[in-house]
């Protein structure tokens, strides 16, 4: 990896994956303040406050609307790239974040809860455009900057590492949201609009620094047939004037892609030759979001309150979980090429399932055994660590490795769409599930995690260092 290639990798991940992680966790700390603002605004408008059920509904919509925006954004990636190019698409997505930050930042001044909800939906639209599920291996923007056939052929030994790197940035985004949410920083009531609008900082930085980089060489040559522009970009990225070999390889890729018929989503779902691969992508992507990790990220403080952790200690306990999260992500990132995909994702889902059952047990016993509250905190940490070790990034890596180029875009759409839909479902339903089922709501996540782990163990083969034909033969 040359310095320019590494720089653009970090820049794209910083402005997409890290921003995605920040938006997952940013609504956790100021939840009480946002609800109070909604209630006060409603009272000012109509002369009475919101009913508890309606307030919960309105806040759940604020949390989960991010995922609906992500779903729409992921479906618009192709149109955006075709019209503006890779760099232009990133720039326009960053401008969306500036707009969203303005909506959320001035919502309290205007007295408009609707502006918070609209701002959240726009940040979701940005995340859906920039990271279709947030996996770098198939990131439509990041992959295009690597000037090699398929984006990754010469980086075969780094495929797993680079595929999980965005999960590190997601963890960092969550961690920064937890740090800024401390009472000493932006955790006070008067700062919550500023806290939500901090998304403009990484977006502005990405917008400024993108001008330092040329357009994607693969996009210039393969999609725009601009050989001169692609040559200049390659010289810049590879740090050498001798790029003719790479140009020839990219021309070969251009010819192969022009003769290749891309499969639609409907054709993919009807193709019996890849039905187990398609089902596997659906199971791991849905399982990743239905594992309970979104409930943990969106409602960490509420979970700790139910575990009877002292209110003054909750922000710092949350930050502690963020540290564990980053460490677990690094462990997964640096061990995936040694251990393989299956051990990491199976172990991750099993840890999450056991930890979810542990939370239920701790909540049921904490009235008679006060020390069980610390078991509950440990289980929350277990869910986060288990997710970051494998399920955070391996499903997207597997999607890339289970399909040929003709089927891969449709597979990403299926997996990414399920990802966002399940994200929305958990974010919206969890508060009501918690009210109706109490401590037993975590057993739902436990069952899903263990069933997904069992499916992977029985059905999905190890994809490390295997070609598509080898993987297809194992499935057959």
């Amino acid at each position: 990896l040359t310095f320019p290639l590494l720089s653009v990798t970090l820049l794209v991940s910083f402005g997409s994956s890290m921003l995605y992680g920040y938006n997952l966790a940013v609504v956790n700390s100021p939840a009480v303040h946002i609800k109070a603002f909604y209630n006060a605004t409603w009272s000012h408008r109509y002369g009475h406050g919101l009913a508890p059920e309606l307030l919960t509904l309105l806040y759940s919509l604020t949390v989960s609307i991010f995922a609906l925006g992500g779903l729409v954004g992921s479906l618009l990636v192709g149109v955006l790239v075709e019209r503006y190019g890779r760099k232009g698409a990133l720039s326009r997505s960053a401008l969306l974040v500036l707009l969203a930050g303005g909506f959320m930042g001035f919502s309290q001044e205007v007295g408009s809860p609707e502006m918070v909800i609209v701002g959240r939906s726009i940040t979701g639209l940005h995340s859906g455009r920039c990271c279709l599920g947030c996996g770098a291996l198939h990131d439509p923007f990041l992959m295009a900057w690597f000037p090699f056939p398929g984006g990754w052929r010469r980086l075969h030994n780094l495929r797993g590492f680079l595929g999980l790197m965005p999960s590190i940035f997601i963890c960092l985004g969550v961690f920064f949201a937890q740090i800024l949410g401390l009472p000493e920083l932006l955790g006070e009531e008067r700062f919550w609009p500023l806290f939500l609008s901090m998304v403009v900082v990484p977006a502005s930085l990405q917008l400024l620094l993108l001008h330092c980089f040329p357009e994607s060489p693969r996009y210039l040559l393969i999609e725009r047939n601009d050989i001169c522009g692609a040559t200049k970009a390659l010289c810049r990225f590879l740090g050498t004037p001798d790029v003719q070999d790479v140009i020839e390889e990219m021309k070969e890729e251009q010819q192969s892609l022009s003769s290749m018929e891309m499969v639609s989503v409907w054709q993919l779902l009807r193709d019996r030759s890849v039905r187990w691969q398609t089902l596997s992508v659906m199971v791991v992507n849905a399982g990743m979001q239905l594992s309970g990790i979104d409930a943990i990220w969106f409602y960490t403080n509420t979970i700790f309150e139910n575990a009877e952790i002292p209110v003054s200690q909750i922000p710092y306990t949350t930050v502690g979980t963020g540290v564990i999260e980053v460490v677990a992500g690094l462990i997964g990132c640096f061990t995936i090429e040694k251990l393989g995909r299956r051990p990491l994702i199976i172990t991750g889902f099993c840890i999450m399932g056991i930890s979810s059952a542990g939370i239920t047990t701790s909540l049921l016993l904490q009235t008679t055994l006060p020390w069980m509250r610390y078991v509950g905190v440990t289980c929350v940490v277990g869910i986060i660590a288990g997710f970051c070790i494998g399920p955070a990034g391996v499903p997207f890596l597997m999607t890339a490795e289970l399909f040929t180029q003709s089927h891969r875009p449709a597979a990403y759409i299926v997996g990414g769409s399920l990802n966002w839909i399940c994200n929305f479902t958990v974010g919206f339903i969890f508060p009501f599930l918690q009210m109706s089922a109490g401590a037993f709501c975590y057993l739902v996540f436990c069952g899903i995690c263990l069933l997904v782990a069992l499916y992977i163990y029985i059905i999905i083969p190890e994809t490390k260092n295997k070609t598509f034909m080898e993987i297809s033969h194992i499935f057959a």
Side-chain angles (χ1 to χ4, degrees), residues 51-237:
E53 295 80 9
L54 185 57
L55 181 60
T56 300
L57 178 66
L58 194 58
Y59 181 72
S60 298
L61 179 63
T62 305
V63 171
S64 56
I65 197 71
F66 171 75
L68 282 187
L71 175 62
V72 175
S74 66
L75 297 176
L76 295 177
V77 169
V79 176
L80 192 69
V81 171
E82 184 179 352
R83 178 172 295 183
Y84 300 112
R86 307 287 177 172
K87 195 168 80 167
L90 271 179
S91 299
R92 282 160 177 79
S93 294
L95 289 173
L96 280 178
V97 179
L98 302 185
L99 177 63
F103 272 108
M104 295 185 290
F106 291 102
S107 58
Q108 190 175 36
E109 293 292 329
V110 179
S112 173
E114 295 85 357
M115 290 176 65
V116 181
I117 297 173
V118 170
R120 285 282 295 171
S121 65
I122 294 175
T123 56
L125 190 66
H126 165 268
S127 291
R129 284 180 167 187
C130 290
C131 43
L132 182 57
C134 295
L137 188 63
H138 60 83
D139 191 302
F141 298 114
L142 181 57
M143 186 177 69
W145 261 276
F146 284 81
F148 313 121
W152 302 90
R153 196 183 76 182
R154 296 185 184 181
L155 300 175
H156 177 73
N157 294 329
L158 291 175
R159 192 169 64 186
F161 173 81
L162 292 170
L164 287 191
M165 192 165 66
S167 66
I168 300 298
F169 280 89
I170 295 174
C171 295
L172 287 173
V174 172
F175 181 61
F176 284 140
Q178 293 166 342
I179 289 288
L180 290 176
L182 290 174
E184 294 83 356
L185 298 175
L186 300 179
E188 294 185 11
E189 183 176 2
R190 60 196 174 108
F191 289 135
W192 71 261
L194 176 62
F195 186 26
L196 294 184
S197 63
M198 286 297 290
V199 293
V200 303
V201 175
S204 300
L205 188 60
Q206 186 184 66
L207 197 60
L208 291 172
L209 294 180
L210 271 175
H211 294 289
C212 301
F213 296 95
E215 178 60 272
S216 154
R218 294 184 67 249
Y219 170 79
L220 289 172
L221 194 147
I222 295 175
E223 298 185 40
R224 287 289 182 254
N225 204 29
D226 183 0
I227 298 177
C228 181
T231 302
K232 291 179 180 178
L234 281 172
C235 293
R236 176 82 177 276
F237 279 122

Side-chain angles (χ1 to χ4, degrees), residues 32-50 55 58 108 111-113 189:
V32 176
H33 309 319
I34 295 173
K35 289 179 180 178
F37 166 63
Y38 286 0
N39 201 37
T41 304
W42 193 273
S43 180
H44 177 73
R45 289 180 182 178
Y46 304 106
H48 60 86
L50 283 161
L55 181 60
L58 194 58
Q108 190 175 36
S112 173
E189 183 176 2

Side-chain angles (χ1 to χ4, degrees), residues 189-399:
E189 183 176 2
R190 60 196 174 108
F191 289 135
W192 71 261
L194 176 62
F195 186 26
L196 294 184
S197 63
M198 286 297 290
V199 293
V200 303
V201 175
S204 300
L205 188 60
Q206 186 184 66
L207 197 60
L208 291 172
L209 294 180
L210 271 175
H211 294 289
C212 301
F213 296 95
E215 178 60 272
S216 154
R218 294 184 67 249
Y219 170 79
L220 289 172
L221 194 147
I222 295 175
E223 298 185 40
R224 287 289 182 254
N225 204 29
D226 183 0
I227 298 177
C228 181
T231 302
K232 291 179 180 178
L234 281 172
C235 293
R236 176 82 177 276
F237 279 122
L238 299 181
T240 174
D242 185 18
V243 295
Q244 193 57 39
D245 290 344
V246 182
I247 289 289
E248 293 301 322
E249 290 176 349
M250 290 169 66
K251 286 181 179 179
E252 293 176 7
E253 183 184 9
Q254 182 187 36
Q255 292 176 356
S256 65
L257 289 175
S258 63
S259 62
M260 183 184 300
E261 183 180 354
M262 294 307 224
V263 173
S264 67
V265 171
W266 180 242
Q267 289 173 324
L268 176 72
L269 296 176
R270 296 183 61 188
D271 191 342
R272 296 175 63 87
S273 66
V274 292
R275 60 184 174 182
W276 281 106
Q277 290 93 318
T278 304
L279 179 61
S280 299
V281 166
M282 296 171 71
V283 168
V284 295
N285 277 278
M288 181 177 68
Q289 297 297 341
L290 297 178
S291 63
I293 187 62
D294 289 318
I296 298 296
W297 276 334
F298 289 148
Y299 303 103
T300 307
N301 285 14
T302 303
I303 293 170
F304 286 158
E305 285 174 11
N306 292 336
E308 297 183 359
I309 301 298
V311 176
S312 60
Q313 297 179 14
I314 287 177
Y316 307 98
T317 307
T318 302
V319 170
T321 64
V323 174
I324 301 297
E325 184 178 348
V326 174
V327 172
L330 289 171
I331 291 173
C333 201
F334 286 102
T335 59
I336 186 169
E337 289 301 340
K338 292 182 180 180
L339 300 178
R341 285 61 163 148
R342 265 169 51 93
L344 285 182
I345 194 169
I346 291 174
T347 301
F349 273 117
C350 287
I351 291 174
M352 295 177 76
I354 294 170
S355 298
S356 295
I359 293 178
T360 297
T361 304
S362 67
L363 290 175
L364 292 175
L365 299 178
Q366 68 186 14
T367 53
T368 54
L369 301 172
W371 55 269
M372 287 299 291
R373 70 181 64 171
Y374 301 107
V375 174
V377 173
T378 303
C379 290
V380 170
V381 172
I383 291 175
I384 293 173
F387 180 77
C388 294
I389 286 175
V394 173
F396 308 115
L397 193 57
M398 282 186 167
T399 304

